[in-house]
Amino acid sequence: MLFIAEIGLNHNGNLDLAYEMIKQAKYAGASIAKFQLGWRSAKGELNFINEEYLEQIKQWCDYFEIEFMVSIFTKDALNLAKNIDFQRYKVASRTVKDDLALVNEIVNAGKETIISLGMWDGKDLPIPERDNVKYLWCKSKYPSTPWDMTDLPKDFTNSPYSGYSDHSIGIEIPLIAISRGATIIEKHFTLDKSDNTIRDHVLSATPDEFRIMTTIGSLIAKNIEIGV
């Protein structure tokens, strides 16, 4: 199982908070701490991350032994990311919808690329038949509810999707996805769900919630693997 703690913009532009979130994500069982690169990122904006900040975040992730990953939103963000030794990239649903040429460029960089398809309405997959691409099923509604999930794949192993990117309140839907064969779970992560700086906090998991999700989810995945 791969558990992605989507820190995203929940650091509120505060690098000290970003440090603490990376640490708490590791303790909560996350495999990856993920940030967003190129979204609301102009100087003075909430998510301004330059090369210096990026290198600092990478050092913190290395220290806590958690993989650092970023969602790439722009060509400039991709060029910036190339300066860091990332294992893989993430592509958000919005980027697939708005800039498929950029998605192709990211995939052609050769690293494993995880792509969310919450806004993709094409008949076929956007980037078919590439060994370094994995897709996540996603509902791009913030927050989404169980009633929005009627088309969640019944069996991920017999679908185009390797996993699920979550925008729901709580951890129940990610656990259902794991029980249906999802091997990647991306869940927004926060230290304070009452923070109203951006809307993502309310639909995020706290460290305690994320820990429960990773613990139960790993047990479910293990039972599936051994056929229990």
Side-chain angles (χ1 to χ4, degrees):
M1 281 297 306
L2 198 66
F3 291 101
I4 303 171
E6 163 67 301
I7 293 172
L9 277 62
N10 281 356
H11 54 78
N12 298 337
N14 183 334
L15 275 187
D16 293 333
L17 179 58
Y19 171 90
E20 184 64 23
M21 295 184 76
I22 292 166
K23 180 175 73 173
Q24 293 300 328
K26 173 63 177 182
Y27 294 162
S31 319
I32 294 172
K34 187 173 82 66
F35 289 74
Q36 296 179 8
L37 202 57
W39 179 249
R40 295 179 65 178
S41 60
K43 192 167 185 178
E45 287 191 304
L46 182 70
N47 194 40
F48 172 69
I49 298 177
N50 58 15
E51 186 172 355
E52 178 186 354
Y53 291 172
L54 200 63
E55 290 175 349
Q56 181 65 78
I57 294 169
K58 176 65 163 61
Q59 289 176 12
W60 289 336
C61 288
D62 288 346
Y63 177 78
F64 288 111
E65 298 182 341
I66 186 170
E67 183 184 331
F68 178 31
M69 186 168 71
V70 290
S71 291
I72 304 290
F73 282 87
T74 65
K75 178 65 178 295
D76 287 343
L78 177 59
N79 290 335
L80 182 59
K82 289 177 179 178
N83 296 323
I84 301 293
D85 185 23
F86 287 106
Q87 181 177 335
R88 55 192 131 205
Y89 293 135
K90 173 72 196 304
V91 174
S93 300
R94 183 181 304 277
T95 309
V96 179
K97 176 185 176 183
D98 293 343
D99 196 347
L100 196 54
L102 175 62
V103 179
N104 275 281
E105 187 172 352
I106 295 168
V107 171
N108 289 336
K111 297 183 183 293
E112 180 177 284
T113 305
I114 300 174
I115 301 176
S116 289
L117 293 182
M119 296 183 182
W120 177 251
D121 56 5
K123 186 176 181 181
D124 300 313
L125 294 173
I127 313 288
E129 299 180 3
R130 293 295 297 268
D131 291 339
N132 65 321
V133 172
K134 292 183 178 179
Y135 291 106
L136 302 184
W137 193 89
C138 178
K139 184 69 66 172
S140 293
K141 182 179 178 183
Y142 306 84
S144 51
T145 70
W147 296 273
D148 299 313
M149 299 297 168
T150 55
D151 50 347
L152 182 75
K154 300 297 187 291
D155 181 2
F156 278 81
T157 58
N158 289 310
S159 79
Y161 306 103
S162 296
Y164 167 60
S165 179
D166 180 73
H167 299 119
S168 68
I169 295 175
I171 60 172
E172 292 81 5
I173 303 301
L175 292 176
I176 290 172
I178 295 170
S179 73
R180 296 181 179 184
T183 58
I184 302 172
I185 295 295
E186 180 181 55
K187 175 72 180 175
H188 284 255
F189 186 73
T190 186
L191 302 186
D192 182 4
K193 296 176 77 164
S194 68
D195 189 330
N196 62 4
T197 306
I198 59 170
R199 65 181 178 179
D200 289 351
H201 287 283
V202 70
L203 55 84
S204 302
T206 63
D208 285 345
E209 290 173 319
F210 206 95
R211 166 59 72 182
I212 293 170
M213 182 183 73
T214 60
T215 301
I216 297 176
S218 295
L219 289 173
I220 294 171
K222 184 176 181 180
N223 285 340
I224 291 174
E225 184 180 348
I226 64 178
V228 174

